[in-house]
Amino acid sequence: MADRRAFLQYLAASPLLAGLPTADLFAQEGARLAKASDALDVFDFEAMARQVTPPAHWGYLSSGVEGDATLRTNSEAFNRFHLRTRRFVDVSHMDMSVDLLGQKFSSPIILCPVSSLGAFHPDGEVGAALAAKNRGQLQVLSTQATRSVEDVIKGRGAPVWFQLYTTDSFAVTTKLLQRAERAGCTAVAITADLPAGRNPITQTRFQRQDTRNCVSCHGPAGPGGNGNVVSSKPMFAGIDATGVRLQSAALTWDFIGKVRAVTKMKVLIKGIDDPDDAKLAIANGVDGIFLSNHGGRATETGRSTLEALPEVVAAVRGRVPVIVDGGFRRGTDVFKALALGATAVGIGRPYVWGLASFGEQGVDRVLEMLNNELRLAMVGAGARTLKEISRASLIAARG
Ligand SMILES: Cc1cc2nc3c(=O)[nH]c(=O)nc-3n(C[C@H](O)[C@H](O)[C@H](O)COP(=O)(O)O)c2cc1C
């Protein structure tokens, strides 16, 4: 181990490797983390998660759609901006707290809904809930969670937000909403970006490398349940969803009013990445917007959410919070989105890398590292609160 590290350091310093991504070498090293606190950035967990996750599940987690262009551009977009440093600002007291729809959180970094966390670690959604609770950060729970919403809220000891896959039966949808509300969820995010399937080529390639029998875990319909509601998911327990699909291809904007009519939860829409849609969402009464392209897993737009952010923020004009997600891997990434007007930032894959590696401890470490990186970015930019981060905190990269 020590020899290997010394060798990697030697390689990294070698002029032969000038210009090569030496960070990748250390990410390989990360595959041998002994404990969560050994991780130095989220990529250490990515390398380890890849080692410990079966190929089909890894493909499910890491895939975008088609050529994965949107997936890539989500992360690459952060290079368009640099941080503007400011010196001799008293940064001895930093406050990263944020108010989201009347709830206060200690950090603007939130856990996005990711389905089937039990496929990555037995701690699953409850492990994520405990980590988020300990750090005072928001978690949004997927319809397709492998643990019940009641267990997750019990684990956290406080409300989470619920993510809704609309289904194509409003009777079933109503029952999902009522159950989430009864369990204590204070807000629902309606996912709007996957109305009629997707084309996850990378995922399929990884699945083909997996020699395990998927049917033994997923049932006769296999992973994804052929687009039908996967009745084994706890959210559907006790709800007759026979033949019902998880999403509907027929939804239009009046769906938001229909949801409002059957729940008192705040209603957000997830999957907006166009300013005209942001205006329509507000006209139809949403309480908040998730600017998201589903982590590059829905439409292969080739456009990052960061690029869409200033337009969406301008269209929203501060009327509702804008939470952006997609490709955030560093505290400086989060800082850049806040500077462009986001209210908060969601992460998906990074916390699942932590979960797959060390369960709850891994999620905790991901949040700790990203929060610390964000704090350091704020210190360097002389911004002591989120409100002090502005467009003037950034410099557009040349070229
Ligand atoms: C494996 C996986 C499963 C996901 N499941 C859901 C889901 O059930 N509902 C949802 O609205 N979004 C889902 N998402 C999208 C995330 O909520 C989020 O938009 C995205 O992961 C953010 O991008 P990032 O992974 O690059 O951070 C999923 C993403 C991944 C990677």
Side-chain angles (χ1 to χ4, degrees):
M1 172 81 183
D3 285 355
R4 181 181 155 78
R5 188 180 292 276
F7 177 64
L8 287 171
Q9 277 164 354
Y10 160 77
L11 275 183
S14 165
L16 292 173
L17 285 185
L20 288 181
T22 49
D24 289 353
L25 293 171
F26 291 99
Q28 293 299 322
E29 179 75 342
R32 283 155 185 77
L33 297 173
K35 52 187 189 308
S37 56
D38 287 347
L40 297 177
D41 60 22
V42 299
F43 299 107
D44 284 346
F45 284 133
E46 180 182 23
M48 175 146 173
R50 169 125 198 217
Q51 300 269 323
V52 300
T53 306
H57 292 180
W58 180 256
Y60 173 63
L61 178 63
S62 53
S63 179
V65 285
E66 299 178 9
D68 295 334
T70 316
L71 174 74
R72 274 193 303 278
T73 195
N74 268 349
S75 285
E76 288 164 2
F78 298 107
N79 296 330
R80 291 163 171 248
F81 295 98
H82 303 311
L83 265 57
R84 179 174 171 220
T85 55
R86 301 306 304 270
R87 302 308 184 205
F88 276 166
V89 178
D90 177 355
V91 286
S92 51
H93 298 288
M94 303 293 292
D95 177 4
M96 307 201 312
S97 65
V98 66
D99 185 289
L100 284 174
L101 300 177
Q103 282 174 270
K104 195 168 178 191
F105 299 98
S106 64
S107 160
I109 302 170
I110 73 169
L111 299 187
C112 278
V114 173
S115 55
S116 308
L117 292 186
F120 301 99
H121 193 280
D123 285 0
E125 291 81 3
V126 173
L130 291 170
K133 165 197 174 178
N134 289 336
R135 300 257 163 218
Q137 290 173 247
L138 173 64
Q139 174 188 15
V140 186
L141 187 71
S142 169
T143 302
Q144 292 292 77
T146 43
R147 301 292 290 272
S148 74
V149 62
E150 293 83 5
D151 280 357
V152 170
I153 290 183
K154 197 164 145 219
R156 181 167 183 133
V160 297
W161 290 8
F162 177 63
Q163 173 269 328
L164 179 76
Y165 276 128
T166 59
T167 87
D168 63 355
S169 155
F170 199 67
V172 169
T173 305
T174 304
K175 289 191 178 130
L176 294 174
L177 290 165
Q178 287 169 342
R179 179 169 175 189
E181 187 170 346
R182 231 180 5 251
C185 293
T186 48
V188 55
I190 304 167
T191 297
D193 53 18
L194 276 178
R198 64 197 198 98
N199 185 16
I201 292 175
T202 301
Q203 176 184 324
T204 310
R205 291 193 202 287
F206 274 100
Q207 266 166 6
R208 288 181 181 167
Q209 292 173 19
D210 207 316
T211 50
R212 298 165 315 140
N213 180 3
C214 300
V215 169
S216 60
C217 290
H218 290 273
N226 216 13
N228 289 339
V229 162
V230 183
S231 54
S232 62
K233 290 290 194 296
M235 199 62 211
F236 292 92
I239 299 175
D240 182 4
T242 318
V244 170
R245 295 182 76 81
L246 193 57
Q247 286 124 7
S248 166
L251 295 187
T252 48
W253 288 102
D254 59 348
F255 186 76
I256 291 167
K258 285 175 73 177
V259 169
R260 276 215 175 284
V262 295
T263 182
K264 291 194 177 59
M265 291 185 284
K266 303 272 189 195
V267 178
L268 298 93
I269 187 161
K270 179 169 182 286
I272 297 297
D273 64 355
D274 180 89
D276 290 339
D277 274 354
K279 285 181 196 157
L280 279 167
I282 293 177
N284 282 279
V286 297
D287 297 302
I289 288 175
F290 276 82
L291 165 48
S292 173
N293 54 31
H294 217 110
R297 298 161 74 80
T299 315
E300 181 75 312
T301 59
R303 190 174 198 231
S304 66
T305 49
L306 194 80
E307 191 179 332
L309 180 60
E311 294 170 17
V312 170
V313 165
V316 167
R317 288 191 278 112
R319 287 173 287 177
V320 297
V322 176
I323 303 169
V324 62
D325 70 46
F328 289 82
R329 306 292 180 258
R330 295 275 181 199
T332 47
D333 300 343
V334 176
F335 181 95
K336 289 172 189 178
L338 297 171
L340 294 174
T343 318
V345 167
I347 54 167
R349 295 178 186 85
Y351 83 86
V352 188
W353 297 335
L355 183 77
S357 303
F358 291 99
E360 176 198 339
Q361 297 301 317
V363 181
D364 180 75
R365 179 70 181 145
V366 165
L367 294 177
E368 182 181 33
M369 291 188 296
L370 289 178
N371 287 338
N372 189 46
E373 289 178 5
L374 173 60
R375 185 183 60 79
L376 289 174
M378 290 171 65
V379 164
R384 291 156 295 196
T385 61
L386 302 192
K387 286 206 164 49
E388 288 185 358
I389 304 173
S390 72
R391 180 63 186 81
S393 310
L394 298 183
I395 299 166
R398 290 210 189 99

